[in-house]
Amino acid sequence: MIYLKSPSEITKIRKASQVIGELLDAISAMISPGVSTWELDKYAESFIHERGGKPAFKGYKIAGLKPFPGTLCTSPNSCIVHGIPSKKVILKEGDIIGIDVGVIKDGFYGDAARTYAVGQISAEASRLMEATRTALFKGIQAAVDGARVGDISHAIGSYIASQGYYPADDLTGHGVGRMLHEDPQIPNSGKAGYGPRLRAGMTLAIEPMVNIGTNRVIEKGWEFFAADGSLSAHYEHSILVTDAEAEILTKA
Ligand code: MG
């Protein structure tokens, strides 16, 4: 079941999403060698509460795991997604770190992620980040009324392949808004012209997760890693499908 949101629901989703855009901007000033992912997490939690929201990931439950403990998912280097913030994870010069955050405000959800460079990073890491960010925007461009989910997947996946990279297996984007995760799933590769039809009023979280060396993943509890230990990047926006260009709800 894919929900079409009413104008008043969209207004609330937009407000929750704006907190995320502002937070991901504010966090960029904190990213530097010596900072722990726990410090980033505490900062994010206060930031969200001060703006009348609540962290959407904290306490999130999936079968067989303890509830997710963080406000943020903080995923360095070969960690693809769902990294747990920790005092023991200290950012180092040359790292890349994916930061993913969900906010619930007035009953509605937004979700977005960015990857940040810690100090000077390698040309390879920089190229991966740029390609992943571009893949996100290719996906957003494909998300128009009348297109299909497969058009988004194809736009993302074909661009990733053209750069010589790999979308992480089994990790997808999703509908968002009334819940953190709604239908449809939005794979990061696939066939154009297939899948559910997109309609104006759908709100979607599009999120390419891209590895340099392999599509295979290893799960360790909550955390997903590139199976070959290669670098992984992640960018995500919550968007509103419209008759024209999609509106980016979590924009900076
Ligand atoms: Mg998401």
Side-chain angles (χ1 to χ4, degrees), residues 25-81:
D25 272 0
I27 278 182
S28 66
M30 291 184 72
I31 302 289
S32 63
V35 174
S36 74
T37 54
W38 181 87
E39 288 171 79
L40 299 176
D41 194 67
K42 289 299 134 198
Y43 174 79
E45 187 169 8
S46 313
F47 188 101
I48 292 166
H49 283 298
E50 281 163 16
R51 283 155 186 82
K54 278 189 287 188
F57 298 169
K58 200 174 181 112
Y60 193 84
K61 293 190 183 76
I62 58 174
L65 294 175
K66 288 184 188 161
F68 192 80
T71 289
L72 303 176
C73 294
T74 52
S75 307
N77 301 323
S78 67
C79 184
I80 304 167
V81 282

Side-chain angles (χ1 to χ4, degrees), residues 57 82 100 111-112 172-174 176 180-181 205-207 209 234 236:
F57 298 169
H82 305 169
D100 191 351
D111 185 7
T172 71
H174 50 91
V176 66
L180 180 60
H181 297 118
I206 300 179
E207 51 176 324
M209 292 153 270
H234 180 205
E236 175 180 24

Side-chain angles (χ1 to χ4, degrees), residues 144-173:
V144 291
D145 182 274
R148 292 184 183 271
V149 169
D151 296 321
I152 301 175
S153 302
H154 177 74
I156 293 171
S158 59
Y159 182 75
I160 293 170
S162 78
Q163 300 303 300
Y165 296 141
Y166 301 85
D169 279 343
D170 304 330
L171 293 162
T172 71

Side-chain angles (χ1 to χ4, degrees), residues 84-159:
I84 295 177
S86 166
K87 289 181 179 172
K88 292 181 198 155
V89 179
I90 313 283
L91 302 183
K92 307 184 304 295
E93 180 85 15
D95 284 348
I96 62 172
I97 175 123
I99 294 187
D100 191 351
V101 59
V103 165
I104 177 167
K105 188 174 174 184
D106 204 6
F108 288 82
Y109 291 84
D111 185 7
R114 279 188 217 168
T115 300
Y116 299 84
V118 184
Q120 279 291 11
I121 61 171
S122 67
E124 183 184 49
S126 174
R127 185 174 167 272
L128 173 69
M129 285 171 55
E130 191 52 39
T132 308
R133 190 173 166 279
T134 302
L136 169 59
F137 284 96
K138 299 271 183 197
I140 292 171
Q141 279 164 16
V144 291
D145 182 274
R148 292 184 183 271
V149 169
D151 296 321
I152 301 175
S153 302
H154 177 74
I156 293 171
S158 59
Y159 182 75

